[in-house]
Amino acid sequence: MIRALFRFLSLNFIFLFCVAAPAMAAATTYTGSPGDLKTAAFGGADGGAPPGSVFAGPDGSPLASGNNVTINYSSGTNPWRVFGGLSNSAAVTGNIVNFLDGTVNNSLYGGYDAASSSGYNAVDNRIFISGGTITTNALAGISLNGNASDNITTMTAGSVLNNLYGGSANGNGNAVNNQVIISGGQVGDGSGEATNGWVLGGYSNTGNALNNSVTISGSAVVNNVDTGESNSGLVSGNRLEITGGTILGIARGGWSETGQVLSNHIVMSGGTSVVHTLDGGVSNDSAQVSGNSVTITDGRVLNLVRGGYSNTGQVFDNHVFIFGGQVDHNVFGGSSTYSDVTGNSVNITGGNILGNVNGGQSTFGNTTHNIVNISGSANFGSGSTLRGGISISGDARTGNTLNLHIPITIADVENFQNWNFYLPSTMANGETMLTITGIAGLGSDAKVNVGIEGSSSPLKAGDTVKLIDASAGTLAGTLANTTANGQGMQGVTLKYEFDLLADTANGLLTATVSSTGPQVNEQAKALSEGFVSGAALANAGADFAAGSGMGWATGAAGQKGGGFGFGSFGGIGGGQSTYKTGSHVDMSSVSLLAGLAWGNDFAPGRLTLGAFFEYGNGSYDTYNSFSNAASVKGKGDMYNLGGGILGRFDANCGGYVESSFRAGGLHNEYKNGDLRDAMGRKAQYDSDSAYYGIHVGSGYIWNIMEKASLDLYTKYFWTRVGGDSVKLSTGDSVKFKDTDSHRLRGGARFAYAVNEFVSPYVGLAYEHEFDGKARATTNGFALPAPSMRGDTGIGELGLSLKPSQIVPLSFDLGMQGYVGKREGVTGSLQMKYEF
């Protein structure tokens, strides 16, 4: 609080020197000639300047915005303060100060709004420091009673002996979107003490500090960093990036004395870093601290790392991620002195952690439901301890979870209620996951679960692994469960049952594969739902080609008795359908078809032949419910591209026969956020398959009267989507077999020619699917197979239009409805042109 008060007073002191004056924009270069500057260097001032000032423009007519000041000297009179723009009655915007060399005996400002009333802001001011010394503060933009936003400070060399700011709102204004970028030089006195130098992205006294950023890189050396800071306002969305340099003291994503500190982030990927603490967010009082994070991929932290801290406020949903680098001391997901700490996490996938790891810590509050995740290539010190929570007087155990994905050796483990061991796919009979040299505190109600990661496992029925080996230490506690039923234990496709035994006398916690061995996870059926959706899209293309496409081709090639005919045809169709596959799939799709047709009359009747190109695109959602497992929902996108040929012979007696052949490729992308492996990765795959198929049909057209006809037909469809072997994102190997669809359809269509231009039609059909099953295996086990087998009723309405007898162009509008195994509505629009 004393530090914040000191900042407030020092930054407002300059207001004592402001007097009224007119304004205009200009530029100033100060070279340091003796006696030319006694008190301050101004780019422009709306409000005047102390005696002895040098102005960019004519004396008495400076302006507080849009100025450019350059300070570059090695000898001469040192300026006391440097201003790009100064005003006590207007906003200060767009000023630039370039500090190349020399000494400023007090502070340097890009823009300074000293107005005594609110509503005047410091916006979009810049300072560039590439040499020299500033003995107090450097600020790109400051407003005493307004907002400070979009100001940027860039430093590549030189020294600022106290504080360096992007933007500062010293009253109740907000500090928003300000930046500090440091790649060289020094900020502070080099001691690392909290009172002797800070870098602040955005500071507000009683307003909010939002979305400010600080970047430290190169050879920069700074004492301390607060990316966003406010005494009593909200501090949120601020981001600190450390890619190099040295921070000697404290580095924080956000800090507030009494305000909430939410969703601030630190990302460290290099540098020699923090002596004291690296904090995602801190409140010194009773405010909530949540959603903050610290991510370390490289570099070194010499002391504490905390996702979030509040003295007496709630601390929850803060996170630490360590992918590399080194932490010499302790790590906390969340921390407090007096309040509860819950729902925080520490996630370690690499690096060296020489101290202790704690999901949550509170001196006098509860630390519950925190998580520690360990995976990858993490290394720990010989004396390191893992704790779910730690507290002197509160509950430090309930709901805390350890998720261990790799074998490690540690001194002590305690205060976890849930112990989840995810065995690597290479772990064999008799091997160990967690080796304890001190105390393994299971507690009185430990819940232990076992999973297997990867695409395969050498474990078989009767094999035993050591989950905890504390034979060199102590295993203390009992189990609340004796069997772990893993769901999706091996990737997402296979599950195991393990019998657990806590042998405290010998310091062992073991898991033995039950006599049944691995079993297929019934939820894995959802993977095949995605594959069968591809077969549904291929079938939609077959219907489009054999139905509308065949009609369009015969029309484009001319009618019976018309002699030789040649024409083009094309159309688009699509809609939404639900396929009942044991669960169900909702699919929206569109099909495009274009081709050329040739027709000619022969003695028995007319022959039509055609070739076409086709494209289909669709998206789908899969839904699966299970009696003994949670429901899962997946989704996907797919497209097919191919072509084919078709033919039809219309006999003079009214009968006809027809056929088509299609072939192409089908691409399918599937993902399922509900089907996750032990690492929390959602199951997804990309599949590429060939498809091909034929249809044959026959029918009879009964001309009931001159303008009315009835088409009675039977059609058979066979479509095959080739199998594919895929590697799931979870590591599972899945082999999809060929999916064959055999459909038989019978129906009738009534058409009536109102006149030579308009012909509506209506039809009914019944279809039976004999197969349509998507079969798949994983590690030699067959997955549950969804199927499209069943009966569907089809109704259709349509209208054929020929706008003119002169132009041989016609259109067809159609709509189909489906009930039964397939439910939904599709529509089509086609165009044909006769040459």
Side-chain angles (χ1 to χ4, degrees), residues 585-617:
V585 175
D586 290 341
M587 186 180 78
S588 299
S589 65
V590 62
S591 297
L592 303 175
L593 188 145
L596 299 173
W598 164 88
N600 200 12
D601 290 322
F602 296 93
R606 184 174 182 82
L607 176 65
T608 300
L609 297 175
F612 60 89
F613 159 85
E614 68 174 3
Y615 171 77
N617 191 294

mmCIF file of all heavy atoms in Angstrom, residues 585-617:
data_model
loop_
_atom_site.group_PDB
_atom_site.id
_atom_site.type_symbol
_atom_site.label_atom_id
_atom_site.label_comp_id
_atom_site.label_asym_id
_atom_site.label_seq_id
_atom_site.Cartn_x
_atom_site.Cartn_y
_atom_site.Cartn_z
ATOM 1 N N VAL A 585 -27.917 -40.811 -36.112
ATOM 2 C CA VAL A 585 -27.053 -39.832 -36.752
ATOM 3 C C VAL A 585 -27.928 -38.793 -37.422
ATOM 4 O O VAL A 585 -28.852 -39.140 -38.164
ATOM 5 C CB VAL A 585 -26.135 -40.490 -37.801
ATOM 6 C CG1 VAL A 585 -25.339 -39.427 -38.548
ATOM 7 C CG2 VAL A 585 -25.215 -41.510 -37.159
ATOM 8 N N ASP A 586 -27.677 -37.529 -37.149
ATOM 9 C CA ASP A 586 -28.334 -36.420 -37.853
ATOM 10 C C ASP A 586 -27.364 -35.893 -38.898
ATOM 11 O O ASP A 586 -26.239 -35.486 -38.559
ATOM 12 C CB ASP A 586 -28.707 -35.295 -36.891
ATOM 13 C CG ASP A 586 -29.833 -35.684 -35.944
ATOM 14 O OD1 ASP A 586 -30.550 -36.653 -36.256
ATOM 15 O OD2 ASP A 586 -29.989 -35.020 -34.903
ATOM 16 N N MET A 587 -27.802 -35.882 -40.153
ATOM 17 C CA MET A 587 -26.910 -35.473 -41.240
ATOM 18 C C MET A 587 -27.560 -34.413 -42.104
ATOM 19 O O MET A 587 -28.726 -34.532 -42.493
ATOM 20 C CB MET A 587 -26.535 -36.676 -42.111
ATOM 21 C CG MET A 587 -25.489 -36.343 -43.185
ATOM 22 S SD MET A 587 -25.035 -37.749 -44.211
ATOM 23 C CE MET A 587 -26.438 -37.823 -45.330
ATOM 24 N N SER A 588 -26.817 -33.361 -42.392
ATOM 25 C CA SER A 588 -27.206 -32.350 -43.370
ATOM 26 C C SER A 588 -26.241 -32.467 -44.534
ATOM 27 O O SER A 588 -25.019 -32.537 -44.334
ATOM 28 C CB SER A 588 -27.131 -30.940 -42.773
ATOM 29 O OG SER A 588 -28.010 -30.812 -41.675
ATOM 30 N N SER A 589 -26.776 -32.505 -45.758
ATOM 31 C CA SER A 589 -25.901 -32.717 -46.905
ATOM 32 C C SER A 589 -26.419 -31.983 -48.121
ATOM 33 O O SER A 589 -27.597 -31.601 -48.199
ATOM 34 C CB SER A 589 -25.785 -34.214 -47.224
ATOM 35 O OG SER A 589 -27.033 -34.739 -47.639
ATOM 36 N N VAL A 590 -25.509 -31.800 -49.072
ATOM 37 C CA VAL A 590 -25.846 -31.228 -50.365
ATOM 38 C C VAL A 590 -25.126 -32.046 -51.432
ATOM 39 O O VAL A 590 -23.997 -32.502 -51.225
ATOM 40 C CB VAL A 590 -25.459 -29.735 -50.444
ATOM 41 C CG1 VAL A 590 -23.962 -29.556 -50.277
ATOM 42 C CG2 VAL A 590 -25.922 -29.118 -51.747
ATOM 43 N N SER A 591 -25.795 -32.282 -52.570
ATOM 44 C CA SER A 591 -25.222 -33.042 -53.671
ATOM 45 C C SER A 591 -25.310 -32.219 -54.948
ATOM 46 O O SER A 591 -26.338 -31.587 -55.219
ATOM 47 C CB SER A 591 -25.968 -34.376 -53.862
ATOM 48 O OG SER A 591 -25.852 -35.205 -52.731
ATOM 49 N N LEU A 592 -24.229 -32.238 -55.702
ATOM 50 C CA LEU A 592 -24.176 -31.565 -56.992
ATOM 51 C C LEU A 592 -23.908 -32.596 -58.067
ATOM 52 O O LEU A 592 -23.113 -33.525 -57.867
ATOM 53 C CB LEU A 592 -23.064 -30.516 -57.019
ATOM 54 C CG LEU A 592 -23.102 -29.417 -55.968
ATOM 55 C CD1 LEU A 592 -21.866 -28.551 -56.077
ATOM 56 C CD2 LEU A 592 -24.349 -28.566 -56.152
ATOM 57 N N LEU A 593 -24.561 -32.424 -59.232
ATOM 58 C CA LEU A 593 -24.395 -33.363 -60.329
ATOM 59 C C LEU A 593 -24.478 -32.595 -61.633
ATOM 60 O O LEU A 593 -25.348 -31.723 -61.807
ATOM 61 C CB LEU A 593 -25.475 -34.448 -60.256
ATOM 62 C CG LEU A 593 -25.362 -35.633 -61.218
ATOM 63 C CD1 LEU A 593 -25.866 -36.898 -60.537
ATOM 64 C CD2 LEU A 593 -26.182 -35.379 -62.478
ATOM 65 N N ALA A 594 -23.577 -32.894 -62.560
ATOM 66 C CA ALA A 594 -23.585 -32.258 -63.875
ATOM 67 C C ALA A 594 -23.061 -33.247 -64.892
ATOM 68 O O ALA A 594 -22.129 -34.015 -64.609
ATOM 69 C CB ALA A 594 -22.724 -30.996 -63.875
ATOM 70 N N GLY A 595 -23.663 -33.261 -66.092
ATOM 71 C CA GLY A 595 -23.231 -34.220 -67.084
ATOM 72 C C GLY A 595 -23.769 -33.936 -68.469
ATOM 73 O O GLY A 595 -24.456 -32.941 -68.723
ATOM 74 N N LEU A 596 -23.445 -34.844 -69.365
ATOM 75 C CA LEU A 596 -23.884 -34.806 -70.762
ATOM 76 C C LEU A 596 -24.624 -36.097 -71.077
ATOM 77 O O LEU A 596 -24.247 -37.180 -70.599
ATOM 78 C CB LEU A 596 -22.694 -34.648 -71.704
ATOM 79 C CG LEU A 596 -21.852 -33.372 -71.547
ATOM 80 C CD1 LEU A 596 -20.610 -33.452 -72.424
ATOM 81 C CD2 LEU A 596 -22.677 -32.139 -71.895
ATOM 82 N N ALA A 597 -25.669 -36.007 -71.883
ATOM 83 C CA ALA A 597 -26.468 -37.180 -72.241
ATOM 84 C C ALA A 597 -26.691 -37.219 -73.758
ATOM 85 O O ALA A 597 -26.824 -36.170 -74.409
ATOM 86 C CB ALA A 597 -27.806 -37.158 -71.518
ATOM 87 N N TRP A 598 -26.735 -38.414 -74.272
ATOM 88 C CA TRP A 598 -26.980 -38.670 -75.696
ATOM 89 C C TRP A 598 -28.153 -39.632 -75.822
ATOM 90 O O TRP A 598 -28.266 -40.595 -75.048
ATOM 91 C CB TRP A 598 -25.722 -39.262 -76.327
ATOM 92 C CG TRP A 598 -25.926 -39.910 -77.672
ATOM 93 C CD1 TRP A 598 -25.880 -39.310 -78.890
ATOM 94 C CD2 TRP A 598 -26.198 -41.295 -77.915
ATOM 95 N NE1 TRP A 598 -26.105 -40.217 -79.893
ATOM 96 C CE2 TRP A 598 -26.301 -41.458 -79.320
ATOM 97 C CE3 TRP A 598 -26.378 -42.409 -77.096
ATOM 98 C CZ2 TRP A 598 -26.572 -42.682 -79.913
ATOM 99 C CZ3 TRP A 598 -26.638 -43.626 -77.705
ATOM 100 C CH2 TRP A 598 -26.747 -43.756 -79.091
ATOM 101 N N GLY A 599 -29.037 -39.400 -76.773
ATOM 102 C CA GLY A 599 -30.181 -40.277 -76.972
ATOM 103 C C GLY A 599 -30.480 -40.490 -78.443
ATOM 104 O O GLY A 599 -30.236 -39.611 -79.277
ATOM 105 N N ASN A 600 -31.018 -41.677 -78.757
ATOM 106 C CA ASN A 600 -31.387 -41.976 -80.140
ATOM 107 C C ASN A 600 -32.480 -43.040 -80.151
ATOM 108 O O ASN A 600 -32.586 -43.868 -79.232
ATOM 109 C CB ASN A 600 -30.173 -42.464 -80.931
ATOM 110 C CG ASN A 600 -30.365 -42.314 -82.430
ATOM 111 O OD1 ASN A 600 -31.291 -41.647 -82.884
ATOM 112 N ND2 ASN A 600 -29.504 -42.944 -83.210
ATOM 113 N N ASP A 601 -33.299 -42.986 -81.173
ATOM 114 C CA ASP A 601 -34.389 -43.952 -81.339
ATOM 115 C C ASP A 601 -33.902 -45.164 -82.112
ATOM 116 O O ASP A 601 -33.148 -45.049 -83.093
ATOM 117 C CB ASP A 601 -35.560 -43.311 -82.084
ATOM 118 C CG ASP A 601 -36.280 -42.277 -81.234
ATOM 119 O OD1 ASP A 601 -36.419 -42.515 -80.019
ATOM 120 O OD2 ASP A 601 -36.673 -41.233 -81.779
ATOM 121 N N PHE A 602 -34.360 -46.333 -81.667
ATOM 122 C CA PHE A 602 -34.140 -47.588 -82.370
ATOM 123 C C PHE A 602 -35.497 -48.246 -82.556
ATOM 124 O O PHE A 602 -36.504 -47.784 -82.000
ATOM 125 C CB PHE A 602 -33.190 -48.486 -81.586
ATOM 126 C CG PHE A 602 -31.808 -47.912 -81.457
ATOM 127 C CD1 PHE A 602 -31.461 -47.142 -80.349
ATOM 128 C CD2 PHE A 602 -30.861 -48.124 -82.444
ATOM 129 C CE1 PHE A 602 -30.208 -46.613 -80.223
ATOM 130 C CE2 PHE A 602 -29.580 -47.588 -82.318
ATOM 131 C CZ PHE A 602 -29.244 -46.835 -81.211
ATOM 132 N N ALA A 603 -35.528 -49.334 -83.287
ATOM 133 C CA ALA A 603 -36.810 -49.969 -83.590
ATOM 134 C C ALA A 603 -37.591 -50.352 -82.325
ATOM 135 O O ALA A 603 -38.806 -50.094 -82.239
ATOM 136 C CB ALA A 603 -36.593 -51.198 -84.487
ATOM 137 N N PRO A 604 -36.950 -50.950 -81.296
ATOM 138 C CA PRO A 604 -37.730 -51.344 -80.101
ATOM 139 C C PRO A 604 -38.054 -50.174 -79.179
ATOM 140 O O PRO A 604 -38.929 -50.282 -78.328
ATOM 141 C CB PRO A 604 -36.808 -52.340 -79.394
ATOM 142 C CG PRO A 604 -35.743 -52.703 -80.371
ATOM 143 C CD PRO A 604 -35.596 -51.513 -81.262
ATOM 144 N N GLY A 605 -37.286 -49.060 -79.287
ATOM 145 C CA GLY A 605 -37.507 -47.957 -78.367
ATOM 146 C C GLY A 605 -36.341 -46.971 -78.402
ATOM 147 O O GLY A 605 -35.566 -46.935 -79.363
ATOM 148 N N ARG A 606 -36.187 -46.201 -77.349
ATOM 149 C CA ARG A 606 -35.161 -45.150 -77.320
ATOM 150 C C ARG A 606 -34.116 -45.462 -76.258
ATOM 151 O O ARG A 606 -34.436 -45.828 -75.123
ATOM 152 C CB ARG A 606 -35.799 -43.789 -77.017
ATOM 153 C CG ARG A 606 -34.802 -42.624 -77.077
ATOM 154 C CD ARG A 606 -35.508 -41.293 -76.922
ATOM 155 N NE ARG A 606 -34.570 -40.170 -77.036
ATOM 156 C CZ ARG A 606 -34.137 -39.655 -78.186
ATOM 157 N NH1 ARG A 606 -34.586 -40.177 -79.346
ATOM 158 N NH2 ARG A 606 -33.282 -38.639 -78.212
ATOM 159 N N LEU A 607 -32.841 -45.277 -76.638
ATOM 160 C CA LEU A 607 -31.706 -45.511 -75.748
ATOM 161 C C LEU A 607 -31.099 -44.173 -75.352
ATOM 162 O O LEU A 607 -30.833 -43.330 -76.209
ATOM 163 C CB LEU A 607 -30.651 -46.377 -76.436
ATOM 164 C CG LEU A 607 -29.359 -46.621 -75.647
ATOM 165 C CD1 LEU A 607 -29.642 -47.439 -74.386
ATOM 166 C CD2 LEU A 607 -28.318 -47.317 -76.534
ATOM 167 N N THR A 608 -30.858 -44.014 -74.043
ATOM 168 C CA THR A 608 -30.191 -42.818 -73.519
ATOM 169 C C THR A 608 -28.945 -43.248 -72.755
ATOM 170 O O THR A 608 -28.992 -44.162 -71.921
ATOM 171 C CB THR A 608 -31.107 -42.035 -72.568
ATOM 172 O OG1 THR A 608 -32.287 -41.633 -73.278
ATOM 173 C CG2 THR A 608 -30.402 -40.802 -72.022
ATOM 174 N N LEU A 609 -27.827 -42.571 -73.054
ATOM 175 C CA LEU A 609 -26.571 -42.810 -72.345
ATOM 176 C C LEU A 609 -26.043 -41.475 -71.844
ATOM 177 O O LEU A 609 -26.228 -40.439 -72.496
ATOM 178 C CB LEU A 609 -25.527 -43.462 -73.268
ATOM 179 C CG LEU A 609 -25.866 -44.843 -73.821
ATOM 180 C CD1 LEU A 609 -24.796 -45.294 -74.815
ATOM 181 C CD2 LEU A 609 -26.000 -45.861 -72.699
ATOM 182 N N GLY A 610 -25.386 -41.490 -70.696
ATOM 183 C CA GLY A 610 -24.862 -40.247 -70.144
ATOM 184 C C GLY A 610 -23.648 -40.473 -69.267
ATOM 185 O O GLY A 610 -23.391 -41.585 -68.795
ATOM 186 N N ALA A 611 -22.893 -39.425 -69.073
ATOM 187 C CA ALA A 611 -21.761 -39.418 -68.155
ATOM 188 C C ALA A 611 -21.886 -38.187 -67.282
ATOM 189 O O ALA A 611 -22.358 -37.133 -67.734
ATOM 190 C CB ALA A 611 -20.442 -39.408 -68.914
ATOM 191 N N PHE A 612 -21.454 -38.307 -66.042
ATOM 192 C CA PHE A 612 -21.661 -37.193 -65.126
ATOM 193 C C PHE A 612 -20.524 -37.096 -64.115
ATOM 194 O O PHE A 612 -19.793 -38.051 -63.857
ATOM 195 C CB PHE A 612 -23.001 -37.316 -64.405
ATOM 196 C CG PHE A 612 -23.145 -38.580 -63.588
ATOM 197 C CD1 PHE A 612 -22.733 -38.639 -62.267
ATOM 198 C CD2 PHE A 612 -23.702 -39.734 -64.155
ATOM 199 C CE1 PHE A 612 -22.856 -39.791 -61.516
ATOM 200 C CE2 PHE A 612 -23.835 -40.896 -63.409
ATOM 201 C CZ PHE A 612 -23.407 -40.921 -62.091
ATOM 202 N N PHE A 613 -20.418 -35.910 -63.553
ATOM 203 C CA PHE A 613 -19.518 -35.605 -62.453
ATOM 204 C C PHE A 613 -20.380 -35.340 -61.218
ATOM 205 O O PHE A 613 -21.445 -34.721 -61.325
ATOM 206 C CB PHE A 613 -18.688 -34.368 -62.818
ATOM 207 C CG PHE A 613 -18.115 -33.657 -61.633
ATOM 208 C CD1 PHE A 613 -16.906 -34.061 -61.076
ATOM 209 C CD2 PHE A 613 -18.762 -32.559 -61.078
ATOM 210 C CE1 PHE A 613 -16.376 -33.380 -59.987
ATOM 211 C CE2 PHE A 613 -18.228 -31.887 -59.988
ATOM 212 C CZ PHE A 613 -17.030 -32.301 -59.442
ATOM 213 N N GLU A 614 -19.934 -35.789 -60.036
ATOM 214 C CA GLU A 614 -20.721 -35.563 -58.824
ATOM 215 C C GLU A 614 -19.843 -35.108 -57.671
ATOM 216 O O GLU A 614 -18.660 -35.427 -57.587
ATOM 217 C CB GLU A 614 -21.480 -36.836 -58.422
ATOM 218 C CG GLU A 614 -20.595 -37.978 -57.959
ATOM 219 C CD GLU A 614 -21.408 -39.166 -57.440
ATOM 220 O OE1 GLU A 614 -22.639 -39.112 -57.507
ATOM 221 O OE2 GLU A 614 -20.787 -40.127 -56.968
ATOM 222 N N TYR A 615 -20.467 -34.318 -56.804
ATOM 223 C CA TYR A 615 -19.810 -33.845 -55.594
ATOM 224 C C TYR A 615 -20.847 -33.790 -54.485
ATOM 225 O O TYR A 615 -21.980 -33.350 -54.690
ATOM 226 C CB TYR A 615 -19.219 -32.454 -55.814
ATOM 227 C CG TYR A 615 -18.702 -31.807 -54.545
ATOM 228 C CD1 TYR A 615 -17.486 -32.198 -53.989
ATOM 229 C CD2 TYR A 615 -19.441 -30.816 -53.895
ATOM 230 C CE1 TYR A 615 -17.019 -31.605 -52.827
ATOM 231 C CE2 TYR A 615 -18.977 -30.217 -52.732
ATOM 232 C CZ TYR A 615 -17.760 -30.623 -52.195
ATOM 233 O OH TYR A 615 -17.296 -30.051 -51.035
ATOM 234 N N GLY A 616 -20.462 -34.258 -53.321
ATOM 235 C CA GLY A 616 -21.346 -34.190 -52.163
ATOM 236 C C GLY A 616 -20.610 -33.633 -50.961
ATOM 237 O O GLY A 616 -19.402 -33.838 -50.804
ATOM 238 N N ASN A 617 -21.309 -32.920 -50.120
ATOM 239 C CA ASN A 617 -20.715 -32.335 -48.922
ATOM 240 C C ASN A 617 -21.726 -32.431 -47.790
ATOM 241 O O ASN A 617 -22.917 -32.169 -47.989
ATOM 242 C CB ASN A 617 -20.337 -30.881 -49.184
ATOM 243 C CG ASN A 617 -19.480 -30.309 -48.071
ATOM 244 O OD1 ASN A 617 -19.922 -30.152 -46.947
ATOM 245 N ND2 ASN A 617 -18.228 -30.003 -48.403
#
